[in-house]
Amino acid sequence: IERSLQAIVGGAGDGMSVSREAFRQTVGNTLERRLFYIPSFKIYRGVAGLYDYGPPGCAVKSNVLAFWRQHFVLEENMLEVDCPCVTPEVVLKASGHVDKFTDLMVKDVKTGTCYRADHLLKDFCNEKLQKDLTLTLEKAAELKHVLATLDDLSTDQLGAKIKEYGIVAPETKNGLSDPYPFNLMFQTSIGPSGLLPGYMRPETAQGIFVNFKDLYYYNGNKLPFAAAQIGQAFRNEISPRQGLLRVREFTLAEIEHFVDPEDKSHPKFIEVASLEFFMFPREQQMSGQSAQKLRLGDAVSKGTVNNETLGYFIGRVYLFLTSLGIDADRLRFRQHLANEMAHYAADCWDAEIECSYGWIECVGIADRSAYDLKAHSEKSKVDLVAHEKFSEPREVEKLVITPNKKELGMTFKGNQKAVVESLEAMNEEEALKMKAALEAKGEDEFYVCVLGKSVTIKDSMIKISKKKIVEHQRVFTPSVIEPSFGIGRIIYCLFEHSFYTRPSKAGDEQLNVFRFPPVVAPIKCTVFPLIQKPEYESVARLISKSLTAAGVSHRIDMTGTTIGKRYARTDELGVPFAITVDSQADVTIRERDSKDQVRVKIEEAASVIKEVVDGQRTWADVWSTFPHHATASADDE
Amino acid sequence: IERSLQAIVGGAGDGMSVSREAFRQTVGNTLERRLFYIPSFKIYRGVAGLYDYGPPGCAVKSNVLAFWRQHFVLEENMLEVDCPCVTPEVVLKASGHVDKFTDLMVKDVKTGTCYRADHLLKDFCNEKLQKDLTLTLEKAAELKHVLATLDDLSTDQLGAKIKEYGIVAPETKNGLSDPYPFNLMFQTSIGPSGLLPGYMRPETAQGIFVNFKDLYYYNGNKLPFAAAQIGQAFRNEISPRQGLLRVREFTLAEIEHFVDPEDKSHPKFIEVASLEFFMFPREQQMSGQSAQKLRLGDAVSKGTVNNETLGYFIGRVYLFLTSLGIDADRLRFRQHLANEMAHYAADCWDAEIECSYGWIECVGIADRSAYDLKAHSEKSKVDLVAHEKFSEPREVEKLVITPNKKELGMTFKGNQKAVVESLEAMNEEEALKMKAALEAKGEDEFYVCVLGKSVTIKDSMIKISKKKIVEHQRVFTPSVIEPSFGIGRIIYCLFEHSFYTRPSKAGDEQLNVFRFPPVVAPIKCTVFPLIQKPEYESVARLISKSLTAAGVSHRIDMTGTTIGKRYARTDELGVPFAITVDSQADVTIRERDSKDQVRVKIEEAASVIKEVVDGQRTWADVWSTFPHHATASADDE
């Protein structure tokens, strides 16, 4: 998941952001009060950017992960692996994280407090734009331009802007240091010697890449195939903001789909081609338009999306997120702009979900070409390649470059090695040009990069020829298509999208509800006796036992609180169904959002719940099958 | 999980350990070849003590964890939480890990290579005992005594033994440094300032303890309740040995059951009371006997096991492990000896599983009394306590000790504080004795610990009285009963217990089989066409689709390999069922261990598999319902 996109957040008008803020507060309070989240190590006053999932949050998380496994791993027969978080430096050197996984930081020159340089600049510009009434049109345009290009600024440019605008430390108003890069990986040391540096992994993908060879073999040396991993990842943020969206430890679920770069078609693309949803291609963004509904099949056939495999995963991600309960109208797939994308990437789309913080990148779906496998091949000297066996051997012409090392040695002495290597590295065009020159003039000028100068190559120093050889297979580095899911962000957005309030009957308070679909709901069902009465309680226990045997997570609520209050309590946890025991023959099953109630025999109660929870049966079907509960809604008793 | 028990490993005779070694090799080769495990970062030559789970291993692991959730969390309505791995120092200071979570280390004085001091001493003693034929009886007894008391040796004693025996570095034969403690936690730093030290958690339990207050509230301020957590834990081992059993990062599943220390009965104990299995109480160990089969109910009623709740969990752990496929005859519950147990623990039992490395501690089940909650209460100044409301207020007599600080100050000057605190800390018996003495003689001798001397307390310096007060509730720190599961160790032992070989029909090779029960099996079913034929392949794809829809993990094998080889391949992954497509109406379903085959209609195949896999139906039932496959076993075609 690319970090740069955080900048996209916000941008709504001031009034809008006030109501957003209020909504966020309401949801946040409910989530904390019901222990969906707990600030970690709270009794020690916590640590910024670390959160626990409390019981209902933890249940939602494991439901989301179980559904992810079903939807991706099982459905596509992916090879799931599980690698350690502790990673030796060499791996993250190869991946580029040791050198480039940084944010620019400035320090308060007196207190040493650290800030993200781009955050301070962004806050300054936003504040000026919103509150400074004396701002000239030119100045406003300049600040907007800074905001738009924030991610493109170099260290020096960022430092210059901070100086130019006189930005100081927010709390103390002290001056700030020049910006410098801070690596976001948690560093540690492996073993007792202190000589083997390691890091807590910043993503799970590298564990898959380094295992490519074994996984390819496991898959019968066939492409395409996908590997997957769910696990913790770590980023030592400079100053975490945005609550649950920007944390220092989080769960990633990543897929690395390995494919022949010459054939990125996908046999199951047809199954998602007719899906229509909001897409936000590069051109629309550049020309200031907004996202629009596109048919996925068209987006791929018109080349808006680079290839079928990438398109297939975009479609599958759409289905995944909406099945969880993400609102399709607040979900868009945004293509990376040229300046956001890594140089090696062929195409990249983010699933962005709109919440009170703005549009949040929750899934990144990137065609990373052969970059990762090549990087690890080079560093480890182990070939991470695939083979395509030809059905019949093919005769191909190959260029053969044979430097005469002895002669080159006599002429170039200590530089012989550099010259030889440069000659061997010539591409076909260069070599043929030299061959022609040598044949014509008997010598040629040749620029040796590492020496920084040209040398004269004589006819006797090299042989360049074309040779026909028979090839039995093609050897190539597979491309990688990577859908990468920030599970915590998806869950947070899901909480916001699922939350609504409704008035109590008395109208004196707003009741909170999470409209989780059963697959996500932390608890599927609550069981309670209408009143405290031993006969009802033993029926409740009986039903509870059947639910446990059926593997349906549930709670019994035996408290004497009014039935209305108990419903309100379970609605606030997003429990989709409640069984109220009010007789020794039948019970009432109530659905959370419609508040509709049906009468079901005690023996059937658990299996009815099991069926709707597993999706074998809809509530509409239950509603049309069983007698309706006649009395007025018990909600407000 | 206590570390000290590693010492128990081994002890078998020499011949025995050779065959164990060979068995371990065979299992290990199969596990690595089929990618159950992969040494992590293999292309970079790996890191000791870090392993990946490859596809089948990862599937086994997630099956074990899903079953754990069903068996413990769901069944007992536990509150599952999910806390970060990154933990600030203060938490692990309170828990004692910063100061005491250490192993003694020695260094090669020339190369700096690090060793665990106790390992070197143990190896030395074992080697001498096994190979030195000149050993006197006295010397042999001495070495055996050292082995038996290895875990009790202090730093100095260990150092002295190493000197006395002239133990040197194993590879270089260089001298060794004195032993010194090395903390086993991976250290890191939280945030950019470098001022907030943190560690990767060595266990998941602390995350639960610090949340006690919120969880107690969530549970309606009622005891008992249990919280649970599954997650990664980290130990920076000095020099990992024993392959997959001693690793630097591993998955723990921990339960913290909070209970009133005055009532450790358990309502569901009756459900496990009649279980009989191998138990190894303290007395049997001390008197050199071996483990014996006991009825759990008797063990609790006789007081061998401290209380019902502890007993209940022992029984549930037994059911959990044997359901996974652990052999009940190679499973024992061993009670901690007095010297193994933490001073605060009321009782502690380890589930030990016998494998080629000897008896391995896989689950620790400890009654940790109030230790953890008290430690965090003290450090955080947040009361982690429970309340028992009395149905009627109770009048109780309370002792009131009121030191006269002014008078004590005049007499004891700088020592006043120490004296006051010691007086206030007197228990009832001490205080009443002093009261009597003061009334009789007007003064009393009083020993002040921190001063290391007695002082004379005069009548005027203190008031001791009894006062009647009315109490509405009892406030107390709950006891914690902690079952802690080393998931990786359980899985490794399960692999050994599930592994067997059988001859191929030709008898020319041994075929490997894992007899995983369906709940554990990484893949539940393989589907293959008997021969490569489009009609069969489309039937295979149809069945595969139904299996996916039913959520049954499976593979299609379309290769043209002989059916016998394909069976051998799936047996080696422990796949319990195979569907062979050999017609367009019926298919053959084959069970792995019996090699029995039945004929089932194509439309029924997926649902039959689903039922046996989910445990709704036994294979015996399937065998008696469907026609048997008449031809000779296809296994060896």
Coordinates of all heavy atoms in Angstrom, one line a residue, chain A residues 40-42 44 52-53 55-56 58 61 74 77 80-82 84-86 88 94 105 187-189 191-192 200 211 214 236 249 376 553-555, chain B residues 40-42 44 52-53 55 58 61 74 77 80-82 84-86 88 94 105 187-189 191-192 200 211 214 236 238 249 376 553-555:
Chain A
S40 N -4.1 0.8 23.2 CA -3.3 -0.2 23.8 C -2.6 0.3 25.1 O -2.2 1.5 25.1 CB -2.2 -0.7 22.9 OG -2.8 -1.3 21.7
F41 N -2.4 -0.5 26.1 CA -1.7 -0.2 27.3 C -2.2 1.0 28.0 O -1.5 1.9 28.4 CB -0.2 0.0 27.0 CG 0.3 -1.1 26.0 CD1 0.8 -0.7 24.7 CD2 0.4 -2.4 26.4 CE1 1.2 -1.7 23.9 CE2 0.8 -3.4 25.5 CZ 1.2 -3.0 24.3
K42 N -3.6 1.1 27.9 CA -4.3 2.3 28.4 C -4.0 2.6 29.9 O -3.8 3.8 30.2 CB -5.8 2.0 28.3 CG -6.7 3.1 28.3 CD -8.1 2.6 27.8 CE -9.1 2.6 29.0 NZ -10.5 2.2 28.5
Y44 N -1.3 2.5 31.3 CA 0.0 3.2 31.3 C -0.1 4.4 30.4 O 0.9 4.8 29.9 CB 1.1 2.2 30.9 CG 1.3 1.1 31.9 CD1 0.9 -0.2 31.6 CD2 2.0 1.3 33.1 CE1 1.1 -1.2 32.5 CE2 2.2 0.3 34.0 CZ 1.7 -1.0 33.7 OH 1.9 -1.9 34.6
D52 N -5.7 -2.0 20.6 CA -6.2 -3.3 20.7 C -7.5 -3.5 20.1 O -8.3 -2.5 20.1 CB -6.4 -3.7 22.2 CG -5.1 -3.6 23.0 OD1 -4.0 -3.5 22.4 OD2 -5.2 -3.6 24.3
Y53 N -7.8 -4.6 19.6 CA -9.2 -5.0 19.3 C -9.8 -5.6 20.5 O -9.2 -6.6 21.0 CB -9.3 -6.0 18.1 CG -9.0 -5.4 16.8 CD1 -7.7 -5.4 16.3 CD2 -10.0 -4.8 16.0 CE1 -7.4 -4.9 15.0 CE2 -9.7 -4.3 14.8 CZ -8.4 -4.3 14.3 OH -8.1 -3.8 13.0
P55 N -13.2 -7.4 22.6 CA -13.9 -8.6 22.1 C -14.8 -8.5 20.8 O -14.5 -9.3 19.9 CB -14.8 -9.0 23.3 CG -14.0 -8.5 24.5 CD -13.3 -7.2 24.0
P56 N -15.6 -7.5 20.7 CA -16.4 -7.5 19.4 C -15.5 -7.1 18.2 O -15.7 -7.6 17.1 CB -17.5 -6.4 19.7 CG -17.0 -5.6 20.8 CD -16.1 -6.4 21.7
C58 N -12.4 -7.8 17.8 CA -11.5 -9.0 17.5 C -12.4 -10.0 16.7 O -11.9 -10.6 15.8 CB -11.0 -9.5 18.8 SG -9.9 -10.9 18.6
K61 N -12.8 -8.7 13.2 CA -11.5 -8.9 12.5 C -11.4 -10.4 12.1 O -11.1 -10.7 10.9 CB -10.4 -8.5 13.4 CG -9.0 -8.6 12.6 CD -7.9 -8.2 13.5 CE -6.6 -8.6 12.9 NZ -5.4 -8.4 13.8
L74 N -9.3 -19.8 -0.9 CA -10.0 -21.0 -1.3 C -10.6 -21.0 -2.7 O -10.4 -21.9 -3.5 CB -11.2 -21.2 -0.3 CG -11.8 -22.6 -0.3 CD1 -10.8 -23.7 0.2 CD2 -13.1 -22.7 0.5
N77 N -7.7 -21.2 -5.1 CA -6.7 -22.1 -4.8 C -5.3 -21.5 -4.6 O -4.3 -22.0 -5.2 CB -6.6 -23.2 -6.0 CG -7.3 -24.4 -5.5 OD1 -7.1 -24.9 -4.4 ND2 -8.1 -25.0 -6.4
E80 N -1.3 -20.3 0.5 CA -1.1 -19.4 1.6 C 0.2 -19.8 2.4 O 0.4 -21.0 2.6 CB -2.3 -19.4 2.5 CG -2.3 -18.3 3.6 CD -3.5 -18.4 4.5 OE1 -4.5 -19.0 4.2 OE2 -3.3 -17.7 5.6
V81 N 0.9 -18.8 2.8 CA 2.1 -19.0 3.6 C 2.1 -18.1 4.8 O 1.3 -17.2 4.9 CB 3.4 -18.7 2.8 CG1 3.5 -19.6 1.5 CG2 3.5 -17.3 2.4
D82 N 3.0 -18.4 5.7 CA 3.0 -17.7 7.0 C 4.5 -17.5 7.4 O 5.1 -18.5 7.8 CB 2.3 -18.5 8.0 CG 2.1 -17.9 9.4 OD1 2.4 -16.7 9.4 OD2 1.8 -18.6 10.3
P84 N 7.8 -15.2 9.3 CA 8.0 -14.4 10.5 C 8.0 -12.9 10.2 O 8.2 -12.4 9.1 CB 9.4 -14.8 11.0 CG 10.0 -15.6 9.9 CD 9.0 -16.0 8.9
C85 N 7.7 -12.1 11.3 CA 7.7 -10.7 11.2 C 9.2 -10.2 11.3 O 9.6 -9.2 10.7 CB 7.0 -10.1 12.4 SG 5.2 -10.6 12.5
V86 N 10.0 -10.9 12.1 CA 11.4 -10.5 12.2 C 12.1 -10.8 10.9 O 12.0 -12.0 10.5 CB 12.1 -11.3 13.4 CG1 13.6 -11.0 13.4 CG2 11.4 -10.9 14.7
P88 N 15.7 -10.3 8.5 CA 17.1 -9.8 8.5 C 17.3 -8.7 7.5 O 16.5 -8.6 6.5 CB 17.9 -11.1 8.1 CG 16.9 -11.9 7.3 CD 15.6 -11.6 7.9
A94 N 17.5 -5.6 -0.2 CA 17.1 -6.0 -1.6 C 15.8 -5.4 -2.0 O 15.7 -4.9 -3.2 CB 17.1 -7.5 -1.7
M105 N 11.4 14.2 8.3 CA 11.1 14.6 9.6 C 11.8 15.9 9.9 O 12.9 16.2 9.4 CB 11.7 13.5 10.5 CG 11.5 13.7 12.0 SD 11.6 12.1 12.9 CE 13.3 12.2 13.3
Q187 N 13.5 -1.2 14.1 CA 14.8 -1.9 14.0 C 15.0 -2.8 15.3 O 14.6 -2.4 16.4 CB 16.0 -0.9 13.8 CG 17.2 -1.6 13.4 CD 18.3 -0.7 13.0 OE1 18.2 0.5 13.1 NE2 19.5 -1.2 12.6
T188 N 15.7 -3.9 15.1 CA 16.1 -4.7 16.2 C 17.3 -5.5 15.8 O 18.0 -5.2 14.8 CB 14.9 -5.7 16.6 OG1 15.2 -6.3 17.9 CG2 14.7 -6.7 15.6
S189 N 17.7 -6.4 16.6 CA 19.0 -7.1 16.4 C 18.6 -8.6 16.6 O 18.0 -9.0 17.6 CB 20.0 -6.6 17.4 OG 21.2 -7.3 17.3
G191 N 19.6 -12.4 17.5 CA 20.6 -13.2 18.1 C 21.4 -12.3 19.1 O 21.2 -11.1 19.2
P192 N 22.3 -13.0 19.9 CA 22.9 -12.3 21.0 C 24.1 -11.4 20.6 O 24.6 -10.6 21.4 CB 23.3 -13.4 22.0 CG 23.6 -14.6 21.0 CD 22.6 -14.4 19.9
M200 N 11.3 -5.3 11.9 CA 10.0 -5.9 11.9 C 9.5 -5.5 10.5 O 9.5 -4.4 10.1 CB 9.1 -5.2 13.0 CG 9.7 -5.4 14.4 SD 10.2 -7.1 14.8 CE 8.7 -7.9 14.6
N211 N 10.3 -16.8 -1.4 CA 10.0 -18.2 -1.5 C 9.5 -18.6 -2.9 O 9.0 -19.7 -3.1 CB 8.8 -18.6 -0.5 CG 9.4 -18.8 0.9 OD1 10.5 -19.3 1.1 ND2 8.6 -18.4 1.9
D214 N 10.4 -22.2 -4.4 CA 9.8 -23.3 -3.8 C 8.3 -23.3 -4.2 O 7.7 -24.4 -4.4 CB 9.9 -23.3 -2.3 CG 11.2 -23.8 -1.8 OD1 11.9 -24.5 -2.6 OD2 11.6 -23.5 -0.7
N236 N 7.0 2.4 12.0 CA 7.3 3.3 13.1 C 7.0 4.7 12.8 O 7.9 5.6 12.6 CB 8.7 3.1 13.5 CG 9.0 3.6 14.9 OD1 8.1 4.0 15.7 ND2 10.3 3.7 15.3
E249 N 1.2 -0.6 14.1 CA 1.2 -2.1 13.8 C -0.1 -2.4 13.3 O -1.2 -2.0 13.8 CB 1.5 -2.8 15.1 CG 1.5 -4.3 15.0 CD 1.9 -5.1 16.2 OE1 2.5 -4.5 17.1 OE2 1.6 -6.3 16.3
H376 N 15.4 -9.6 -5.8 CA 15.9 -10.7 -4.9 C 16.8 -11.6 -5.7 O 17.7 -12.2 -5.1 CB 14.7 -11.4 -4.3 CG 14.1 -10.6 -3.2 ND1 14.8 -10.3 -2.0 CD2 12.9 -10.1 -3.1 CE1 14.0 -9.6 -1.2 NE2 12.8 -9.5 -1.9
S553 N -21.7 -18.1 17.1 CA -21.3 -17.4 18.3 C -22.5 -16.5 18.7 O -23.2 -15.9 18.0 CB -20.1 -16.5 17.9 OG -20.6 -15.3 17.2
H554 N -22.7 -16.5 20.0 CA -23.9 -15.9 20.6 C -23.6 -15.6 22.1 O -22.6 -16.0 22.6 CB -25.1 -16.8 20.5 CG -24.9 -18.1 21.3 ND1 -24.1 -19.1 20.9 CD2 -25.4 -18.4 22.6 CE1 -24.1 -20.1 21.9 NE2 -24.9 -19.6 22.9
R555 N -24.5 -14.8 22.7 CA -24.5 -14.5 24.1 C -25.9 -14.8 24.7 O -26.9 -14.5 24.0 CB -24.2 -13.0 24.3 CG -22.9 -12.6 23.9 CD -21.8 -12.8 25.0 NE -20.5 -13.0 24.2 CZ -19.4 -13.3 24.7 NH1 -19.3 -13.6 26.0 NH2 -18.3 -13.5 24.0
Chain B
S40 N 13.1 -19.9 6.9 CA 12.8 -18.5 6.4 C 14.0 -17.9 5.7 O 15.2 -18.1 6.1 CB 12.4 -17.6 7.6 OG 11.3 -18.1 8.3
F41 N 13.7 -17.1 4.7 CA 14.8 -16.4 4.0 C 15.9 -17.3 3.4 O 17.0 -17.0 3.5 CB 15.3 -15.3 4.8 CG 14.3 -14.5 5.6 CD1 14.2 -14.7 7.0 CD2 13.3 -13.8 5.0 CE1 13.2 -14.0 7.8 CE2 12.3 -13.1 5.7 CZ 12.3 -13.3 7.1
K42 N 15.4 -18.5 3.0 CA 16.3 -19.5 2.5 C 17.3 -19.1 1.5 O 18.4 -19.5 1.5 CB 15.4 -20.7 2.0 CG 16.0 -22.0 1.9 CD 15.0 -23.1 1.7 CE 15.0 -23.6 0.3 NZ 14.0 -24.7 0.1
Y44 N 18.7 -16.4 1.1 CA 19.7 -15.7 1.8 C 20.4 -16.5 2.9 O 20.9 -16.0 3.8 CB 19.2 -14.4 2.4 CG 18.7 -13.4 1.3 CD1 17.4 -13.2 1.0 CD2 19.7 -12.7 0.5 CE1 16.9 -12.4 0.1 CE2 19.2 -11.8 -0.5 CZ 17.9 -11.6 -0.7 OH 17.5 -10.8 -1.7
D52 N 9.2 -20.5 8.0 CA 7.9 -20.2 7.4 C 7.1 -21.5 7.4 O 7.6 -22.6 7.3 CB 8.1 -19.9 5.9 CG 9.0 -18.6 5.7 OD1 9.2 -17.9 6.6 OD2 9.4 -18.5 4.5
Y53 N 5.8 -21.3 7.5 CA 4.8 -22.3 7.1 C 4.6 -22.2 5.6 O 4.1 -21.2 5.2 CB 3.5 -22.2 7.9 CG 3.6 -22.5 9.4 CD1 3.9 -21.5 10.3 CD2 3.5 -23.8 9.8 CE1 4.0 -21.8 11.6 CE2 3.5 -24.1 11.1 CZ 3.8 -23.1 12.1 OH 3.9 -23.4 13.4
P55 N 2.5 -23.7 2.1 CA 1.1 -23.9 1.9 C 0.4 -25.0 2.8 O -0.5 -24.6 3.5 CB 0.9 -24.2 0.4 CG 2.1 -23.5 -0.2 CD 3.2 -23.6 0.8
C58 N 0.7 -24.0 6.6 CA -0.1 -22.8 6.9 C -1.6 -23.2 7.0 O -2.3 -22.7 7.9 CB 0.1 -21.8 5.8 SG -0.7 -20.2 6.1
K61 N -2.0 -25.0 10.3 CA -2.0 -24.0 11.3 C -3.3 -23.3 11.4 O -3.9 -23.1 12.5 CB -0.8 -23.0 11.1 CG -0.7 -22.0 12.3 CD 0.4 -21.0 12.0 CE 0.3 -19.9 13.0 NZ 1.2 -18.7 12.6
L74 N -15.4 -20.1 21.7 CA -16.9 -20.1 21.4 C -17.6 -21.0 22.5 O -18.6 -20.5 23.1 CB -17.1 -20.8 20.1 CG -18.5 -20.6 19.5 CD1 -18.8 -19.2 19.2 CD2 -18.7 -21.5 18.3
N77 N -17.6 -19.0 25.7 CA -17.9 -17.6 25.6 C -16.8 -16.7 26.1 O -17.0 -15.7 26.9 CB -19.2 -17.3 26.4 CG -20.4 -17.2 25.5 OD1 -20.2 -16.5 24.4 ND2 -21.5 -17.7 25.8
E80 N -12.3 -12.7 23.4 CA -11.1 -12.7 22.6 C -10.6 -11.3 22.3 O -11.4 -10.4 22.0 CB -11.2 -13.5 21.3 CG -9.9 -13.7 20.7 CD -10.0 -14.5 19.3 OE1 -11.0 -15.1 19.1 OE2 -9.0 -14.5 18.6
V81 N -9.3 -11.0 22.5 CA -8.8 -9.7 22.2 C -7.6 -9.8 21.3 O -7.1 -11.0 21.1 CB -8.4 -8.9 23.5 CG1 -9.5 -8.7 24.4 CG2 -7.2 -9.6 24.2
D82 N -7.1 -8.7 20.8 CA -6.0 -8.8 19.8 C -5.2 -7.5 20.0 O -5.6 -6.4 19.7 CB -6.6 -8.8 18.4 CG -5.6 -8.9 17.3 OD1 -4.5 -9.2 17.6 OD2 -5.9 -8.6 16.1
P84 N -1.2 -5.4 20.2 CA 0.0 -5.3 19.3 C 1.1 -6.2 19.9 O 1.2 -6.5 21.1 CB 0.3 -3.9 19.3 CG -0.5 -3.2 20.4 CD -1.6 -4.1 20.8
C85 N 2.1 -6.5 19.0 CA 3.3 -7.1 19.4 C 4.3 -6.1 20.0 O 5.0 -6.4 21.0 CB 4.0 -7.8 18.2 SG 2.9 -9.0 17.4
V86 N 4.3 -4.9 19.5 CA 5.2 -3.9 20.0 C 4.7 -3.5 21.3 O 3.5 -3.1 21.5 CB 5.3 -2.7 19.0 CG1 6.0 -1.5 19.6 CG2 5.8 -3.1 17.7
P88 N 5.5 -1.3 25.0 CA 6.5 -0.3 25.7 C 7.1 -1.0 26.9 O 6.5 -1.8 27.5 CB 5.6 0.9 26.1 CG 4.2 0.3 26.2 CD 4.1 -0.9 25.2
A94 N 6.8 -4.1 34.6 CA 5.9 -4.5 35.6 C 5.7 -6.0 35.7 O 5.7 -6.6 36.7 CB 4.5 -3.9 35.3
M105 N 24.6 -16.6 29.4 CA 25.3 -16.8 28.1 C 26.8 -16.7 28.4 O 27.2 -16.1 29.4 CB 24.9 -15.6 27.3 CG 25.6 -15.5 25.9 SD 24.7 -14.4 24.8 CE 25.5 -12.9 25.1
Q187 N 14.6 -6.1 21.3 CA 14.4 -4.8 21.7 C 14.2 -3.9 20.5 O 14.8 -4.1 19.4 CB 15.6 -4.3 22.5 CG 15.3 -3.0 23.3 CD 16.4 -2.6 24.3 OE1 17.4 -3.3 24.4 NE2 16.2 -1.5 24.9
T188 N 13.5 -2.8 20.7 CA 13.3 -1.8 19.6 C 13.0 -0.5 20.2 O 13.1 -0.3 21.5 CB 12.3 -2.2 18.6 OG1 12.3 -1.4 17.4 CG2 10.9 -2.2 19.1
S189 N 12.7 0.5 19.4 CA 12.5 1.8 19.9 C 11.2 2.3 19.3 O 11.0 2.2 18.1 CB 13.7 2.7 19.5 OG 13.5 4.0 20.0
G191 N 8.6 5.1 18.0 CA 8.6 6.6 17.6 C 10.0 7.0 17.2 O 11.0 6.3 17.3
P192 N 10.1 8.2 16.7 CA 11.4 8.7 16.1 C 12.4 9.2 17.1 O 13.5 9.4 16.8 CB 10.9 9.8 15.2 CG 9.7 10.4 15.8 CD 9.0 9.2 16.5
M200 N 9.5 -6.5 21.5 CA 8.5 -7.4 20.9 C 8.0 -8.3 22.0 O 8.8 -9.0 22.6 CB 9.1 -8.2 19.7 CG 9.7 -7.3 18.6 SD 8.6 -6.0 18.1 CE 7.3 -6.9 17.4
N211 N -5.7 -5.0 30.2 CA -7.1 -4.6 29.9 C -8.1 -5.2 30.9 O -9.3 -5.2 30.6 CB -7.4 -5.2 28.5 CG -6.9 -4.3 27.4 OD1 -6.8 -3.1 27.5 ND2 -6.5 -4.9 26.3
D214 N -11.4 -3.0 31.8 CA -12.4 -2.9 30.7 C -13.1 -4.2 30.4 O -14.3 -4.3 30.2 CB -11.7 -2.5 29.4 CG -11.5 -1.0 29.4 OD1 -12.1 -0.2 30.1 OD2 -10.6 -0.5 28.6
N236 N 14.4 -13.9 21.5 CA 15.7 -13.8 20.8 C 16.6 -14.8 21.4 O 17.6 -14.5 22.1 CB 16.2 -12.4 21.0 CG 17.3 -12.1 20.0 OD1 17.5 -12.9 19.1 ND2 17.9 -11.0 20.2
I238 N 19.5 -17.4 22.3 CA 20.9 -17.3 22.2 C 21.5 -18.1 21.0 O 22.2 -17.7 20.2 CB 21.7 -17.6 23.5 CG1 21.3 -16.6 24.5 CG2 23.2 -17.7 23.3 CD1 21.8 -16.9 26.0
E249 N 10.4 -16.8 16.8 CA 9.1 -16.2 16.7 C 8.1 -17.3 16.5 O 8.3 -18.3 15.8 CB 9.1 -15.3 15.4 CG 7.8 -14.6 15.2 CD 7.8 -13.6 14.1 OE1 8.8 -13.1 13.6 OE2 6.6 -13.3 13.6
H376 N 0.6 -5.2 37.9 CA 0.2 -4.1 37.0 C -0.6 -3.0 37.8 O -0.5 -1.8 37.5 CB -0.6 -4.5 35.8 CG 0.2 -5.2 34.8 ND1 1.2 -4.5 34.1 CD2 0.3 -6.5 34.3 CE1 1.8 -5.3 33.2 NE2 1.2 -6.5 33.3
S553 N -11.8 -27.1 1.2 CA -10.6 -26.9 0.5 C -10.1 -28.1 -0.2 O -10.2 -29.2 0.4 CB -9.5 -26.4 1.5 OG -8.9 -27.4 2.2
H554 N -9.7 -28.0 -1.4 CA -9.4 -29.2 -2.2 C -8.5 -28.8 -3.4 O -8.2 -27.6 -3.6 CB -10.7 -29.8 -2.8 CG -11.3 -28.8 -3.8 ND1 -12.1 -27.7 -3.4 CD2 -11.3 -28.8 -5.1 CE1 -12.5 -27.1 -4.4 NE2 -12.1 -27.7 -5.5
R555 N -7.9 -29.8 -4.1 CA -7.1 -29.5 -5.3 C -7.6 -30.4 -6.4 O -8.1 -31.5 -6.1 CB -5.7 -29.9 -5.0 CG -4.9 -29.1 -4.0 CD -4.3 -27.9 -4.6 NE -4.3 -26.9 -3.5 CZ -4.0 -25.7 -3.6 NH1 -3.6 -25.2 -4.7 NH2 -4.0 -24.9 -2.5

